[in-house]
Amino acid sequence: MTKPNKSGHIRLTSHPEPGAAARRPIVWGARDPAERGPIVATVTRPGDRNAIGAHGGAYGVYRALAVTSGAMNPLARPDLANTHPAAAIGPHPQWFDPARIVSLDPFGHVAQEVFAKEIAEGLDIRPTIAVTRARITLPEIADAMRARRLEADGDVLKATGDVAVVKIAIEPVWHLPGVAARFGVEETALRRTLFEQTGGMYPELVTRPDMHVFLPPIGGATAYVFGDPARLGDRRFKLACRVHDECNGSDVFGSDICTCRPYLAHGVEECVRQAQQGGAGLIVYNRKEGRALGEVTKFLVYNARKRQEGGDTAANYFARTECVAGVQDARFQELMPDVLHWLGVARIDRFVSMSNMKYDALVKAGIEIGERIPIPDGLIPPDASVEMQAKKAAGYYAPEGAPSADDLARTSGRPLEKY
């Protein structure tokens, strides 16, 4: 909003003058929520804010449109009665290590509970994580049941083919000093680059050095837990996990130019199986469309690959992306392990991914990984062969010593042709 400063000029900011201290400083990593303090990124009372940005990531713009059109009262506050988590998550030791979790609020799912007093006093605090229970239905799971790779147990997998899950939506909440440390840069350099590369959308990044929390205008993550969430961090129980980056064309519409949906569905099957065997399964779905370059860039790259002389080849797979986008891959998995830390995960027994970027980020973050599970050859669409060849040639996929699809079929006792 606009407000006059001491000199009478209008400043386009919701914060006080530069240099003014936030009323409610945040002590990142504090064990006691009262000491840590709530994340206040709402605009109903600007003076209470102690975070840069707004709730909802990119969806915050739609809230602005709702207010502009008169459909929504700008001072409206949510009634948070009965919105508490449908399953208990944490606390885990990782919550209180300020270096382990830097991109989400560990108390984000219980903000309405641990800060109930402050909310009752008028502070507009909103959860940044929501935990619910649901059932998911995938035709690939029905196929697995028909092929007798999976059988209904009535608990995790129903006779109808529905799978019971705990579903967790997570908004990004960045602690800027921690994010800067992950990328090996100074916080001031990170702030200035974020400010410049978003066209100056967030002047507080450079004018409010006392505010160290930023809610970026990006998509978050959704975690799907198969089995008891309490087993995710308990080494007595085996964990199968896939960390998946969004691919709308494949995941939702079944485009066959990549292996994204087949690998995701295979991950779900492995998670169901592990939960049925007394362990747990976990899918983390990150909104990083087109290697975090966006879908427009992704489709432009598709055109460039297919129209180049000689056709679409593995040799030019990454080169064409870099020519269009300026970088081969913008996902930079340094922040990805935070969700697993929040869930208490210390070891993944069966990692359903052959991505070296993901593997290296998890291991560097202190998460042990046992077996790595490749996508079975029978699940790779013909049009995705270029992608697979390019990733293998670049050392991006299938590192030395990783089990092949044939090895997996032999050790699991399930014939490969049944996939």
Side-chain angles (χ1 to χ4, degrees), residues 68-81:
T68 299
S69 67
M72 181 178 181
N73 180 348
L75 300 180
R77 299 190 183 190
D79 178 355
L80 297 174

Side-chain angles (χ1 to χ4, degrees), residues 4 29 43 67 74 82 84 95 107 125 129 148 162 164 170 189 205 218 226 244 248 323 333-334 357 400 410 415:
V43 297
V67 171
N82 295 321
H84 57 277
W95 291 19
F107 299 107
I125 302 169
I129 300 174
R148 297 190 176 276
D162 295 349
I170 302 166
L205 285 167
I218 59 175
F226 302 75
H244 188 91
N248 185 64
C323 287
Q333 302 288 351
E334 281 83 353
M357 289 178 65
E400 188 76 21
R410 284 193 294 270

Side-chain angles (χ1 to χ4, degrees), residues 347-404:
R347 175 179 170 80
I348 299 172
D349 298 278
R350 308 186 73 240
F351 187 45
V352 191
S353 171
M354 301 305 290
S355 166
N356 288 342
M357 289 178 65
K358 294 173 184 176
Y359 175 87
D360 292 343
L362 289 167
V363 171
K364 184 178 180 180
I367 296 174
E368 298 176 15
I369 294 181
E371 182 183 10
R372 296 176 69 176
I373 310 300
I375 182 172
D377 293 338
L379 292 184
I380 299 175
D383 204 26
S385 60
V386 170
E387 174 200 52
M388 296 299 293
Q389 292 168 14
K391 289 182 176 180
K392 290 177 180 179
Y396 182 85
Y397 182 96
E400 188 76 21
S404 67

Side-chain angles (χ1 to χ4, degrees), residues 26-41:
I26 297 167
V27 183
W28 197 262
R31 183 173 295 272
D32 183 355
E35 179 186 358
R36 204 295 302 274
I39 304 295
V40 186

Side-chain angles (χ1 to χ4, degrees), residues 4 23 39 41 50 53 78 105 120 126 136 148 166 176 210 289 309 328 355:
R23 289 185 193 173
I39 304 295
N50 59 9
D105 176 10
R126 305 190 185 184
I136 60 174
R148 297 190 176 276
V166 172
L176 293 172
D210 60 310
E289 178 66 61
E309 186 177 351
Q328 291 184 3
S355 166

Side-chain angles (χ1 to χ4, degrees), residues 131 179 369 418:
V131 183
V179 173
I369 294 181
K418 284 192 176 182

Side-chain angles (χ1 to χ4, degrees), residues 39-45 48 55 76-78 122-126:
I39 304 295
V40 186
T42 45
V43 297
T44 50
R45 292 198 325 200
D48 290 331
H55 289 283
R77 299 190 183 190
L123 199 58
D124 191 358
I125 302 169
R126 305 190 185 184

